[in-house]
Amino acid sequence: MLKNRILSTLKFFDLQDIPLTLLELHRFLIGDIGQIKLSLDANWELSAPQNLSHASLGITMDQILYCLDNECQAEAENTLGYYHLSGRSEIVHARRDNYLFGLKREKRIKRFANFLRYLPFVRGAAIGGSQSLGQQKEKSDIDLFIVAEPGFLWATRTAVSVFFQIFGLRRHGSKIKDRFCLNHYVAGGKRVDRERNLYKAMEYARLRPIVYPQGVGQFLENNKDWTQFFFPNFYNDIFFEKQSKIQKLFETLLKNPFGKLLERILGFFQKHKIHEDEFTFVLSDELSFHPQSQHRALLSRFFSH
């Protein structure tokens, strides 16, 4: 039932204090909750491959708007163009106020993150987290999602970390505000096999490519089956950006036996500094650093009530 899906979507984002525009509500419209719950394990993760040929597909914005206007008046409200659960207009005002902090960070992103296209083995970069969907606050950081050349994951991480460290822009310790958080790297168009849940599907669906969008787009395309199980209206447009000549030059110097040896050395030393836990893990084709993630508690609140 469309009404239930709309209210479930508003509830999920309300738990994160995020009101939604009509376009966002359409893009992030959650699928059939009953079917989703049957497909989750005790940790709210997808337990098996899913069949996407269910009735959740094909909902238009006109249908959503009609349902909002005629069936959801008691449970949902529109404040200044944002939809939210009734009685929660304060999150709209908070989002609009926080928008100014996001504008300031956009200037920093344009000035510094665009240089990622020159660093060796970066095959894509996207903005995620609070900056990508109206959650940014005065002391927020800037989450970066990096796609690396397969076989050079550690070299990519080193190059990106050194670049932001040189300019004093890498988040670490208590230095958070307006700094770049380098918390997720994947090799090529990796198909993820961990953390396949509603929260992660949202995180991937809201990625905003800034460098080599085709790399980010290929990653999203390869994970479309399970992200669309949660968000059937999610779509991914793949745009192409030509590789920079400077990056090609750097890679010419490293795509050889020396470069492969350097990759192994970098991986050896970096692995020993990483303390893995449930939400911080090191794979041959993925590095994920979210040690204080609260997404499981969020999913529990969402699915349990």
Side-chain angles (χ1 to χ4, degrees), residues 56-293:
S56 293
L57 297 173
I59 301 298
T60 67
M61 278 193 284
D62 286 340
Q63 289 174 299
I64 293 174
L65 186 58
Y66 180 86
C67 188
L68 284 165
D69 291 341
N70 294 277
E71 299 181 40
C72 302
Q73 307 97 318
E75 298 95 342
E77 297 176 1
N78 183 333
T79 302
L80 301 175
Y82 292 93
Y83 291 93
H84 56 87
L85 295 180
S86 295
R88 289 281 285 161
S89 60
E90 69 273 12
I91 64 175
V92 173
H93 300 295
R95 177 171 178 174
R96 286 168 64 88
D97 291 342
N98 292 337
Y99 182 70
L100 297 176
F101 301 124
L103 285 179
K104 175 183 175 182
R105 293 189 184 97
E106 287 300 319
K107 295 179 181 179
R108 176 160 289 199
I109 292 168
K110 185 176 181 180
R111 182 179 179 185
F112 292 101
N114 285 332
F115 281 96
L116 290 170
R117 61 174 44 87
Y118 305 123
L119 301 183
F121 307 121
V122 172
R123 292 294 174 262
I127 298 297
S130 62
Q131 188 67 22
S132 65
L133 195 62
Q135 287 177 289
Q136 62 269 43
K137 296 178 175 63
E138 183 178 5
K139 296 183 179 180
S140 294
D141 57 12
I142 305 167
D143 286 305
L144 276 182
F145 177 86
I146 305 293
V147 181
E149 169 80 10
F152 290 96
L153 192 63
W154 295 107
T156 304
R157 181 178 184 238
T158 300
V160 173
S161 297
V162 168
F163 171 76
F164 285 110
Q165 186 68 32
I166 287 174
F167 288 98
L169 295 172
R170 183 176 69 86
R171 171 181 170 162
H172 62 93
S174 60
K175 297 180 179 180
I176 299 173
K177 180 181 177 181
D178 295 338
R179 293 193 173 220
F180 289 88
C181 183
L182 314 174
N183 58 12
H184 206 156
Y185 298 79
V186 297
K190 172 189 170 65
R191 177 173 167 77
V192 300
D193 51 12
R194 297 182 61 164
E195 297 187 325
R196 297 197 309 161
N197 55 58
L198 176 62
Y199 182 83
K200 275 297 181 180
M202 175 198 68
E203 287 284 280
Y204 293 144
R206 71 182 187 177
L207 287 175
R208 173 161 57 90
I210 53 172
V211 168
Y212 299 136
Q214 64 269 27
V216 179
Q218 190 59 59
F219 168 80
L220 294 175
E221 188 69 20
N222 289 351
N223 291 279
K224 184 173 65 174
D225 61 333
W226 69 269
T227 54
Q228 280 192 332
F229 181 72
F230 291 111
F231 300 112
N233 285 342
F234 170 69
Y235 59 89
N236 169 42
D237 293 326
I238 299 180
F239 300 97
F240 182 84
E241 178 184 353
K242 187 176 180 181
Q243 185 180 16
S244 76
K245 294 181 180 179
I246 295 176
Q247 186 186 62
K248 284 184 178 180
L249 177 61
F250 280 135
E251 293 178 1
T252 299
L253 301 175
L254 293 170
K255 281 192 172 181
N256 50 46
F258 168 75
K260 293 180 180 179
L261 175 61
L262 180 63
E263 171 71 11
R264 290 196 295 271
I265 293 173
L266 291 172
F268 175 81
F269 284 105
Q270 291 182 58
K271 285 178 185 177
H272 284 75
K273 293 183 178 181
I274 298 173
H275 302 288
E276 293 192 63
D277 58 32
E278 191 172 12
F279 304 121
T280 298
F281 53 87
V282 175
L283 306 175
S284 62
D285 55 2
E286 182 177 10
L287 307 173
S288 182
F289 309 102
H290 301 90
Q292 298 178 341
S293 177

